[in-house]
Amino acid sequence: MGNELKIGVLISGSGSNLQSIMDACAKGTVNGRVVCVISNKADAFGLERARKAGIPALHLDHRAYTGREAFDEALVATLREFDVDLVVLAGFMRIITPVLLDAFPMRVMNIHPALLPAFPGLHAQRQALEYGAKVAGCTVHFVDCGTDTGPIIIQAAVPVLEGDTEETLCARIQKEEHRIYPEAVRLFSEGLLQVDGRVVTVSA
């Protein structure tokens, strides 16, 4: 992969986790560089974040393709144009197919706003509140063919407070997301992550 990790980020929205990773790269905390940002939504604010940072920001409209696989083929082609080493999903609201996963085996990361395997899928904070969970949090994991089922890299716990709403809990979890996602990317960039089945270990 060379010295500097080339990171491709897929987004659908504001891109706050994208910002945290760009910031970590700029500070030198992560020995890497975001080389492209791709969104399936033209109005995603994350594209503006990328443009401001001088990073190629691309819109690929999933509706222009015949299906998920065809869209992922276009994603793979674009990511390869930029010679991407690691694909980071940062609020990318599309189901990933084996087309993308096979092109980047154990090189696709995602962050989920829950302590997996609890509360996978959409509205994880709402699920936690409705279930009466006392602790919530976030998880960075490698992506596999399941929904939020890939090997767990790093997690952070956040207490659920009395009177919490979905919004207040989300805001507290997001602070931790912005801390642990760049850390997971750093560990990957330094070759410190070993995957054995479901278990990810960090070498010293």
Side-chain angles (χ1 to χ4, degrees), residues 70-120:
F71 178 61
D72 279 7
E73 280 168 14
L75 284 177
V76 168
T78 306
L79 292 164
R80 282 186 170 149
E81 273 178 44
F82 289 93
D83 200 21
V84 164
D85 299 310
L86 176 68
V87 181
V88 169
L89 309 184
F92 188 57
M93 304 306 287
R94 300 287 303 160
I95 292 170
I96 299 296
T97 73
V99 170
L100 181 61
L101 296 176
D102 291 348
F104 296 93
M106 283 299 153
R107 290 190 290 141
V108 182
M109 272 186 199
N110 183 44
I111 191 156
H112 182 71
L115 293 174
L116 293 173
F119 313 123

Short mmCIF file of all heavy atoms in Angstrom, two decimals, residues 70-120:
data_model
loop_
_atom_site.label_atom_id
_atom_site.label_comp_id
_atom_site.label_asym_id
_atom_site.label_seq_id
_atom_site.Cartn_x
_atom_site.Cartn_y
_atom_site.Cartn_z
N ALA A 70 -24.83 -3.14 -10.35
CA ALA A 70 -24.35 -2.23 -11.39
C ALA A 70 -23.83 -0.93 -10.76
O ALA A 70 -22.80 -0.38 -11.19
CB ALA A 70 -25.46 -1.91 -12.38
N PHE A 71 -24.52 -0.45 -9.73
CA PHE A 71 -24.08 0.76 -9.03
C PHE A 71 -22.74 0.50 -8.35
O PHE A 71 -21.82 1.32 -8.42
CB PHE A 71 -25.13 1.18 -8.01
CG PHE A 71 -24.74 2.39 -7.19
CD1 PHE A 71 -24.48 3.60 -7.80
CD2 PHE A 71 -24.64 2.30 -5.81
CE1 PHE A 71 -24.13 4.73 -7.04
CE2 PHE A 71 -24.30 3.40 -5.05
CZ PHE A 71 -24.04 4.62 -5.67
N ASP A 72 -22.62 -0.67 -7.69
CA ASP A 72 -21.36 -0.99 -7.01
C ASP A 72 -20.21 -1.17 -8.01
O ASP A 72 -19.06 -0.84 -7.70
CB ASP A 72 -21.52 -2.25 -6.15
CG ASP A 72 -22.18 -1.93 -4.80
OD1 ASP A 72 -22.60 -0.76 -4.62
OD2 ASP A 72 -22.26 -2.82 -3.94
N GLU A 73 -20.51 -1.68 -9.19
CA GLU A 73 -19.47 -1.76 -10.23
C GLU A 73 -18.93 -0.38 -10.57
O GLU A 73 -17.72 -0.19 -10.74
CB GLU A 73 -20.02 -2.45 -11.48
CG GLU A 73 -20.07 -3.97 -11.38
CD GLU A 73 -20.88 -4.61 -12.51
OE1 GLU A 73 -21.17 -3.91 -13.51
OE2 GLU A 73 -21.21 -5.81 -12.38
N ALA A 74 -19.84 0.59 -10.66
CA ALA A 74 -19.42 1.97 -10.94
C ALA A 74 -18.61 2.53 -9.78
O ALA A 74 -17.61 3.24 -9.99
CB ALA A 74 -20.65 2.84 -11.20
N LEU A 75 -19.01 2.21 -8.54
CA LEU A 75 -18.25 2.64 -7.37
C LEU A 75 -16.84 2.06 -7.40
O LEU A 75 -15.85 2.78 -7.19
CB LEU A 75 -18.94 2.19 -6.08
CG LEU A 75 -20.17 2.96 -5.62
CD1 LEU A 75 -20.75 2.31 -4.36
CD2 LEU A 75 -19.85 4.42 -5.35
N VAL A 76 -16.74 0.76 -7.67
CA VAL A 76 -15.44 0.09 -7.70
C VAL A 76 -14.55 0.72 -8.77
O VAL A 76 -13.36 1.01 -8.52
CB VAL A 76 -15.60 -1.44 -7.95
CG1 VAL A 76 -14.26 -2.08 -8.27
CG2 VAL A 76 -16.25 -2.11 -6.74
N ALA A 77 -15.11 0.96 -9.95
CA ALA A 77 -14.33 1.56 -11.04
C ALA A 77 -13.80 2.93 -10.62
O ALA A 77 -12.63 3.27 -10.87
CB ALA A 77 -15.19 1.68 -12.29
N THR A 78 -14.64 3.72 -9.97
CA THR A 78 -14.23 5.06 -9.54
C THR A 78 -13.17 4.98 -8.43
O THR A 78 -12.17 5.70 -8.47
CB THR A 78 -15.45 5.86 -9.03
OG1 THR A 78 -16.45 5.86 -10.05
CG2 THR A 78 -15.08 7.29 -8.73
N LEU A 79 -13.38 4.12 -7.46
CA LEU A 79 -12.41 3.96 -6.37
C LEU A 79 -11.06 3.49 -6.91
O LEU A 79 -10.01 3.95 -6.45
CB LEU A 79 -12.94 2.96 -5.33
CG LEU A 79 -14.16 3.45 -4.53
CD1 LEU A 79 -14.86 2.28 -3.83
CD2 LEU A 79 -13.76 4.52 -3.51
N ARG A 80 -11.09 2.62 -7.91
CA ARG A 80 -9.83 2.13 -8.49
C ARG A 80 -9.12 3.23 -9.28
O ARG A 80 -7.88 3.26 -9.32
CB ARG A 80 -10.10 0.91 -9.38
CG ARG A 80 -10.31 -0.34 -8.53
CD ARG A 80 -10.44 -1.59 -9.36
NE ARG A 80 -10.41 -2.78 -8.51
CZ ARG A 80 -11.03 -3.90 -8.77
NH1 ARG A 80 -11.77 -4.02 -9.87
NH2 ARG A 80 -10.94 -4.93 -7.95
N GLU A 81 -9.90 4.12 -9.89
CA GLU A 81 -9.28 5.26 -10.59
C GLU A 81 -8.41 6.07 -9.65
O GLU A 81 -7.39 6.62 -10.06
CB GLU A 81 -10.38 6.20 -11.13
CG GLU A 81 -10.91 5.85 -12.50
CD GLU A 81 -12.04 6.82 -12.90
OE1 GLU A 81 -11.88 8.04 -12.67
OE2 GLU A 81 -13.07 6.33 -13.40
N PHE A 82 -8.82 6.15 -8.40
CA PHE A 82 -8.07 6.91 -7.40
C PHE A 82 -7.11 6.03 -6.60
O PHE A 82 -6.52 6.50 -5.62
CB PHE A 82 -9.04 7.64 -6.46
CG PHE A 82 -9.76 8.79 -7.12
CD1 PHE A 82 -11.00 8.60 -7.70
CD2 PHE A 82 -9.18 10.05 -7.18
CE1 PHE A 82 -11.67 9.65 -8.33
CE2 PHE A 82 -9.84 11.10 -7.80
CZ PHE A 82 -11.07 10.91 -8.38
N ASP A 83 -6.97 4.77 -7.01
CA ASP A 83 -6.01 3.85 -6.38
C ASP A 83 -6.25 3.71 -4.87
O ASP A 83 -5.31 3.73 -4.07
CB ASP A 83 -4.59 4.35 -6.67
CG ASP A 83 -3.54 3.27 -6.49
OD1 ASP A 83 -3.91 2.07 -6.54
OD2 ASP A 83 -2.36 3.60 -6.27
N VAL A 84 -7.52 3.60 -4.50
CA VAL A 84 -7.91 3.58 -3.08
C VAL A 84 -7.45 2.29 -2.39
O VAL A 84 -7.58 1.19 -2.94
CB VAL A 84 -9.45 3.75 -2.97
CG1 VAL A 84 -9.96 3.36 -1.59
CG2 VAL A 84 -9.85 5.18 -3.32
N ASP A 85 -6.89 2.45 -1.17
CA ASP A 85 -6.48 1.30 -0.35
C ASP A 85 -7.58 0.87 0.62
O ASP A 85 -7.77 -0.31 0.89
CB ASP A 85 -5.24 1.65 0.50
CG ASP A 85 -4.04 2.03 -0.34
OD1 ASP A 85 -3.72 1.29 -1.28
OD2 ASP A 85 -3.44 3.09 -0.06
N LEU A 86 -8.28 1.86 1.18
CA LEU A 86 -9.31 1.59 2.20
C LEU A 86 -10.56 2.37 1.84
O LEU A 86 -10.50 3.56 1.54
CB LEU A 86 -8.81 2.04 3.58
CG LEU A 86 -9.81 1.91 4.74
CD1 LEU A 86 -10.10 0.44 5.06
CD2 LEU A 86 -9.30 2.63 5.99
N VAL A 87 -11.71 1.67 1.88
CA VAL A 87 -13.00 2.30 1.63
C VAL A 87 -13.69 2.52 2.97
O VAL A 87 -13.86 1.59 3.76
CB VAL A 87 -13.90 1.41 0.72
CG1 VAL A 87 -15.23 2.10 0.46
CG2 VAL A 87 -13.19 1.09 -0.59
N VAL A 88 -14.07 3.77 3.22
CA VAL A 88 -14.69 4.15 4.49
C VAL A 88 -16.13 4.57 4.22
O VAL A 88 -16.37 5.48 3.42
CB VAL A 88 -13.90 5.30 5.15
CG1 VAL A 88 -14.67 5.87 6.33
CG2 VAL A 88 -12.53 4.81 5.61
N LEU A 89 -17.08 3.91 4.86
CA LEU A 89 -18.49 4.29 4.76
C LEU A 89 -18.80 5.25 5.89
O LEU A 89 -18.61 4.92 7.06
CB LEU A 89 -19.40 3.06 4.86
CG LEU A 89 -19.07 1.87 3.95
CD1 LEU A 89 -20.12 0.78 4.11
CD2 LEU A 89 -18.96 2.28 2.49
N ALA A 90 -19.22 6.46 5.55
CA ALA A 90 -19.49 7.48 6.56
C ALA A 90 -20.91 8.01 6.33
O ALA A 90 -21.10 9.03 5.67
CB ALA A 90 -18.45 8.59 6.48
N GLY A 91 -21.89 7.28 6.85
CA GLY A 91 -23.28 7.67 6.62
C GLY A 91 -23.71 7.40 5.19
O GLY A 91 -24.46 8.16 4.61
N PHE A 92 -23.23 6.28 4.64
CA PHE A 92 -23.59 5.88 3.27
C PHE A 92 -24.83 5.00 3.36
O PHE A 92 -24.77 3.89 3.89
CB PHE A 92 -22.43 5.12 2.63
CG PHE A 92 -22.63 4.82 1.16
CD1 PHE A 92 -22.85 5.84 0.25
CD2 PHE A 92 -22.55 3.51 0.70
CE1 PHE A 92 -23.02 5.56 -1.11
CE2 PHE A 92 -22.70 3.22 -0.66
CZ PHE A 92 -22.94 4.25 -1.56
N MET A 93 -25.96 5.52 2.88
CA MET A 93 -27.25 4.85 3.11
C MET A 93 -27.62 3.90 1.95
O MET A 93 -28.72 3.94 1.42
CB MET A 93 -28.35 5.88 3.32
CG MET A 93 -28.07 6.86 4.45
SD MET A 93 -27.72 6.03 6.02
CE MET A 93 -29.35 5.46 6.46
N ARG A 94 -26.67 3.06 1.61
CA ARG A 94 -26.91 2.06 0.56
C ARG A 94 -26.42 0.71 1.06
O ARG A 94 -25.40 0.64 1.76
CB ARG A 94 -26.14 2.40 -0.72
CG ARG A 94 -26.49 3.73 -1.36
CD ARG A 94 -27.84 3.72 -2.03
NE ARG A 94 -27.93 2.68 -3.05
CZ ARG A 94 -29.08 2.21 -3.52
NH1 ARG A 94 -30.23 2.64 -3.05
NH2 ARG A 94 -29.10 1.29 -4.46
N ILE A 95 -27.14 -0.35 0.70
CA ILE A 95 -26.68 -1.71 1.03
C ILE A 95 -25.55 -2.06 0.07
O ILE A 95 -25.69 -1.92 -1.14
CB ILE A 95 -27.84 -2.71 0.94
CG1 ILE A 95 -28.85 -2.43 2.06
CG2 ILE A 95 -27.32 -4.14 1.02
CD1 ILE A 95 -30.15 -3.20 1.93
N ILE A 96 -24.44 -2.50 0.63
CA ILE A 96 -23.26 -2.85 -0.16
C ILE A 96 -23.40 -4.29 -0.65
O ILE A 96 -23.81 -5.17 0.11
CB ILE A 96 -21.99 -2.73 0.71
CG1 ILE A 96 -21.82 -1.29 1.21
CG2 ILE A 96 -20.75 -3.18 -0.02
CD1 ILE A 96 -21.59 -0.28 0.15
N THR A 97 -23.02 -4.54 -1.89
CA THR A 97 -23.08 -5.90 -2.44
C THR A 97 -21.70 -6.53 -2.49
O THR A 97 -20.68 -5.85 -2.34
CB THR A 97 -23.66 -5.87 -3.88
OG1 THR A 97 -22.66 -5.33 -4.76
CG2 THR A 97 -24.93 -5.05 -3.97
N PRO A 98 -21.64 -7.85 -2.74
CA PRO A 98 -20.34 -8.52 -2.86
C PRO A 98 -19.46 -7.92 -3.96
O PRO A 98 -18.23 -8.11 -3.93
CB PRO A 98 -20.73 -9.97 -3.19
CG PRO A 98 -22.08 -10.15 -2.55
CD PRO A 98 -22.76 -8.83 -2.73
N VAL A 99 -20.04 -7.23 -4.93
CA VAL A 99 -19.24 -6.60 -6.00
C VAL A 99 -18.20 -5.68 -5.38
O VAL A 99 -17.01 -5.72 -5.74
CB VAL A 99 -20.15 -5.81 -6.98
CG1 VAL A 99 -19.32 -4.95 -7.92
CG2 VAL A 99 -21.04 -6.76 -7.78
N LEU A 100 -18.61 -4.86 -4.43
CA LEU A 100 -17.68 -3.94 -3.77
C LEU A 100 -16.82 -4.68 -2.75
O LEU A 100 -15.61 -4.45 -2.67
CB LEU A 100 -18.46 -2.81 -3.09
CG LEU A 100 -17.64 -1.75 -2.35
CD1 LEU A 100 -16.71 -1.01 -3.31
CD2 LEU A 100 -18.54 -0.75 -1.64
N LEU A 101 -17.43 -5.57 -1.98
CA LEU A 101 -16.70 -6.27 -0.92
C LEU A 101 -15.60 -7.16 -1.49
O LEU A 101 -14.51 -7.27 -0.92
CB LEU A 101 -17.66 -7.09 -0.06
CG LEU A 101 -18.69 -6.28 0.72
CD1 LEU A 101 -19.66 -7.19 1.43
CD2 LEU A 101 -18.02 -5.33 1.69
N ASP A 102 -15.88 -7.81 -2.63
CA ASP A 102 -14.87 -8.69 -3.24
C ASP A 102 -13.72 -7.88 -3.84
O ASP A 102 -12.59 -8.36 -3.92
CB ASP A 102 -15.50 -9.57 -4.33
CG ASP A 102 -16.45 -10.61 -3.75
OD1 ASP A 102 -16.43 -10.80 -2.51
OD2 ASP A 102 -17.22 -11.22 -4.51
N ALA A 103 -14.03 -6.65 -4.26
CA ALA A 103 -12.98 -5.79 -4.84
C ALA A 103 -12.05 -5.25 -3.75
O ALA A 103 -10.87 -4.98 -4.02
CB ALA A 103 -13.62 -4.63 -5.60
N PHE A 104 -12.58 -5.11 -2.52
CA PHE A 104 -11.79 -4.58 -1.40
C PHE A 104 -11.97 -5.47 -0.18
O PHE A 104 -12.57 -5.06 0.82
CB PHE A 104 -12.23 -3.14 -1.08
CG PHE A 104 -11.98 -2.16 -2.19
CD1 PHE A 104 -12.96 -1.89 -3.14
CD2 PHE A 104 -10.75 -1.51 -2.31
CE1 PHE A 104 -12.74 -0.99 -4.17
CE2 PHE A 104 -10.51 -0.61 -3.34
CZ PHE A 104 -11.50 -0.34 -4.27
N PRO A 105 -11.46 -6.71 -0.23
CA PRO A 105 -11.71 -7.65 0.88
C PRO A 105 -11.08 -7.16 2.19
O PRO A 105 -9.91 -6.81 2.24
CB PRO A 105 -11.05 -8.96 0.41
CG PRO A 105 -10.11 -8.55 -0.68
CD PRO A 105 -10.66 -7.31 -1.29
N MET A 106 -11.89 -7.10 3.23
CA MET A 106 -11.49 -6.61 4.55
C MET A 106 -10.82 -5.23 4.44
O MET A 106 -9.93 -4.90 5.21
CB MET A 106 -10.55 -7.60 5.26
CG MET A 106 -11.27 -8.79 5.84
SD MET A 106 -12.50 -8.34 7.10
CE MET A 106 -13.64 -9.70 6.96
N ARG A 107 -11.27 -4.47 3.46
CA ARG A 107 -10.77 -3.11 3.29
C ARG A 107 -11.94 -2.13 3.14
O ARG A 107 -11.80 -1.07 2.56
CB ARG A 107 -9.82 -3.03 2.08
CG ARG A 107 -8.50 -3.75 2.31
CD ARG A 107 -7.49 -3.48 1.23
NE ARG A 107 -7.85 -4.12 -0.04
CZ ARG A 107 -7.67 -3.56 -1.23
NH1 ARG A 107 -7.18 -2.33 -1.34
NH2 ARG A 107 -7.99 -4.21 -2.33
N VAL A 108 -13.10 -2.55 3.67
CA VAL A 108 -14.27 -1.65 3.72
C VAL A 108 -14.68 -1.54 5.19
O VAL A 108 -14.96 -2.54 5.84
CB VAL A 108 -15.45 -2.19 2.88
CG1 VAL A 108 -16.62 -1.20 2.93
CG2 VAL A 108 -15.03 -2.46 1.44
N MET A 109 -14.70 -0.31 5.70
CA MET A 109 -15.06 -0.05 7.10
C MET A 109 -16.37 0.72 7.17
O MET A 109 -16.68 1.51 6.29
CB MET A 109 -13.99 0.82 7.78
CG MET A 109 -12.86 0.10 8.40
SD MET A 109 -11.80 1.31 9.29
CE MET A 109 -10.33 0.30 9.41
N ASN A 110 -17.08 0.51 8.30
CA ASN A 110 -18.31 1.25 8.54
C ASN A 110 -18.36 1.63 10.01
O ASN A 110 -17.71 0.98 10.85
CB ASN A 110 -19.53 0.40 8.18
CG ASN A 110 -20.84 1.15 8.33
OD1 ASN A 110 -20.94 2.31 7.93
ND2 ASN A 110 -21.83 0.52 8.92
N ILE A 111 -19.13 2.67 10.32
CA ILE A 111 -19.39 2.99 11.73
C ILE A 111 -20.89 2.92 11.95
O ILE A 111 -21.68 3.34 11.09
CB ILE A 111 -18.82 4.36 12.13
CG1 ILE A 111 -18.87 4.52 13.64
CG2 ILE A 111 -19.51 5.52 11.39
CD1 ILE A 111 -17.88 5.50 14.21
N HIS A 112 -21.27 2.34 13.10
CA HIS A 112 -22.69 2.16 13.41
C HIS A 112 -22.96 2.73 14.80
O HIS A 112 -22.18 2.49 15.73
CB HIS A 112 -23.04 0.66 13.38
CG HIS A 112 -24.48 0.39 13.63
ND1 HIS A 112 -25.47 0.69 12.72
CD2 HIS A 112 -25.12 -0.14 14.73
CE1 HIS A 112 -26.65 0.35 13.22
NE2 HIS A 112 -26.46 -0.15 14.43
N PRO A 113 -24.05 3.50 14.98
CA PRO A 113 -24.30 4.16 16.26
C PRO A 113 -24.96 3.27 17.31
O PRO A 113 -26.00 3.59 17.88
CB PRO A 113 -25.21 5.33 15.87
CG PRO A 113 -25.98 4.82 14.69
CD PRO A 113 -25.04 3.90 13.96
N ALA A 114 -24.35 2.11 17.55
CA ALA A 114 -24.80 1.20 18.61
C ALA A 114 -23.63 0.29 18.95
O ALA A 114 -22.65 0.20 18.20
CB ALA A 114 -26.00 0.37 18.14
N LEU A 115 -23.75 -0.38 20.09
CA LEU A 115 -22.74 -1.37 20.47
C LEU A 115 -23.14 -2.70 19.85
O LEU A 115 -23.87 -3.49 20.45
CB LEU A 115 -22.65 -1.47 22.00
CG LEU A 115 -22.11 -0.22 22.72
CD1 LEU A 115 -22.21 -0.38 24.22
CD2 LEU A 115 -20.66 0.05 22.31
N LEU A 116 -22.69 -2.92 18.65
CA LEU A 116 -23.03 -4.17 17.96
C LEU A 116 -22.54 -5.36 18.77
O LEU A 116 -21.53 -5.25 19.46
CB LEU A 116 -22.39 -4.18 16.56
CG LEU A 116 -22.97 -3.14 15.58
CD1 LEU A 116 -22.16 -3.10 14.29
CD2 LEU A 116 -24.43 -3.42 15.26
N PRO A 117 -23.24 -6.51 18.73
CA PRO A 117 -24.34 -6.84 17.82
C PRO A 117 -25.71 -6.31 18.23
O PRO A 117 -26.71 -6.66 17.60
CB PRO A 117 -24.33 -8.37 17.83
CG PRO A 117 -23.83 -8.73 19.19
CD PRO A 117 -22.82 -7.67 19.54
N ALA A 118 -25.80 -5.48 19.28
CA ALA A 118 -27.10 -4.91 19.65
C ALA A 118 -27.52 -3.84 18.64
O ALA A 118 -26.68 -3.09 18.14
CB ALA A 118 -27.01 -4.29 21.04
N PHE A 119 -28.79 -3.79 18.34
CA PHE A 119 -29.42 -2.73 17.56
C PHE A 119 -28.78 -2.45 16.20
O PHE A 119 -28.35 -1.33 15.92
CB PHE A 119 -29.49 -1.43 18.38
CG PHE A 119 -30.00 -1.65 19.78
CD1 PHE A 119 -29.25 -1.27 20.88
CD2 PHE A 119 -31.22 -2.28 20.00
CE1 PHE A 119 -29.71 -1.48 22.18
CE2 PHE A 119 -31.70 -2.49 21.29
CZ PHE A 119 -30.93 -2.09 22.38
N PRO A 120 -28.71 -3.47 15.35
CA PRO A 120 -28.23 -3.23 13.98
C PRO A 120 -29.31 -2.53 13.15
O PRO A 120 -30.44 -2.36 13.61
CB PRO A 120 -27.97 -4.64 13.45
CG PRO A 120 -28.95 -5.50 14.19
CD PRO A 120 -29.08 -4.88 15.56
#
